Amino acid sequence: LLDEADAELADDAPEKREKRRKRVIKTLQRKTFMKIGRTEIGLGVGLVTNDPFINRYLINADLTYHFTEIAAIQLGGGFSPNLGRGDWKGITKQIVEENGVTPDISKIQFWADATLQFAPIYGKLAAPGNEIINFDIYGLFGTGFVQTADDLEALNVDPSDPGADAATSTASQFHPMLTFGAGMRVVFGKRLAVRLEGKGISYIEVIESLNLEMKNNMLFTLKASYFLGKTN
């Protein structure tokens, strides 16, 4: 006896039956985007998300070389402009001007780091017009240095003191730092990508030249990337 599928085939013309028997459904497909051996240039903007006293906005850039599909080395850095009291949050203005309290305000001004990027998760999204959008999720870990500036007005320190900059009411410090974080890269076409990245930087800050304090700042950035090198 013929089952239902065979009965359907029996009703078709011989040529149609043969074509249907040979139809193949591909479960494994070639990747439409490759990173291996390519250099990625990124430029973005962001902010520090966990500082209770100040708003810090960032401009950053990086250069990443992908030596495999899942591993890469990244060199990057960023800058955050010093806006003086314009960086203060409402709570800071209240406790300094009304309560006479001196909060510890340390502003990130510049940083540079080298990080190892590891991207074990890869996927695809279907887009209109039979286009495929590739994405990956990656982690990163590395080291570098950061320059910070103490807000001397908030600390009630005389800007004429040694090490203080009277023009900006800050005193600059350099610190070695550790970086760690994760991100997501969404690729459009063969060369363009958008990255969302969260990164923590940890360093030891000197407070008023006397005390040491561990600082952990979380940076959130949105970047546009361009891939150099051969496309597959």
Side-chain angles (χ1 to χ4, degrees):
L1 296 177
L2 296 176
D3 59 21
E4 183 176 348
D6 289 337
E8 184 179 353
L9 286 173
D11 292 337
D12 293 335
E15 297 82 2
K16 189 175 181 181
R17 292 201 304 269
E18 185 67 18
K19 182 178 180 181
R20 292 181 62 176
R21 287 194 182 98
K22 292 183 178 180
R23 184 173 59 186
V24 176
I25 299 176
K26 295 182 180 180
T27 57
L28 297 177
Q29 299 178 354
R30 181 183 179 184
K31 291 181 67 173
T32 58
F33 178 81
M34 301 290 287
K35 295 178 294 182
I36 185 170
R38 302 180 70 185
T39 300
E40 180 183 6
I41 302 172
L43 181 65
V45 295
L47 70 161
V48 177
T49 62
N50 66 329
D51 195 305
F53 299 118
I54 56 174
N55 298 303
R56 297 302 285 158
Y57 302 101
L58 316 170
I59 301 171
N60 68 309
D62 55 54
L63 185 69
T64 307
Y65 179 72
H66 299 269
F67 49 89
T68 72
E69 279 297 294
I70 63 173
I73 185 71
Q74 177 179 296
L75 302 177
F79 170 74
S80 182
N82 184 7
L83 303 179
R85 282 199 172 211
D87 291 323
W88 289 12
K89 293 184 177 179
I91 185 64
T92 306
K93 295 178 181 179
Q94 177 182 336
I95 62 178
V96 171
E97 297 173 356
E98 300 179 15
N99 301 337
V101 178
T102 56
D104 168 26
I105 295 181
S106 176
K107 300 180 178 182
I108 295 175
Q109 292 191 301
F110 174 82
W111 80 93
D113 59 8
T115 58
L116 180 64
Q117 192 180 110
F118 180 67
I121 301 175
Y122 168 85
K124 301 177 182 179
L125 298 173
N130 292 326
E131 295 293 327
I132 298 296
I133 297 176
N134 295 273
F135 71 89
D136 60 28
I137 298 174
Y138 58 88
L140 52 88
F141 180 82
T143 186
F145 70 89
V146 59
Q147 180 194 30
T148 62
D150 301 326
D151 191 317
L152 301 184
E153 183 177 3
L155 290 171
N156 196 26
V157 175
D158 187 346
S160 63
D161 287 350
D165 184 340
T168 60
S169 295
T170 61
S172 297
Q173 302 180 37
F174 283 88
H175 318 275
M177 69 174 186
L178 292 177
T179 63
F180 53 89
M184 180 176 182
R185 177 187 293 104
V186 181
V187 181
F188 302 92
K190 300 293 186 180
R191 296 191 181 275
L192 299 178
V194 173
R195 290 159 53 193
L196 292 173
E197 189 173 286
K199 180 166 67 174
I201 63 174
S202 298
Y203 57 92
I204 297 176
E205 178 85 10
V206 181
I207 306 300
E208 297 185 25
S209 303
L210 298 174
N211 303 315
L212 300 180
E213 182 177 339
M214 176 66 76
K215 294 286 188 177
N216 295 285
N217 287 281
M218 294 301 301
L219 316 182
F220 180 81
T221 57
L222 174 64
K223 302 180 184 180
S225 293
Y226 183 81
F227 280 84
L228 306 174
K230 292 177 59 178
T231 61
N232 60 315

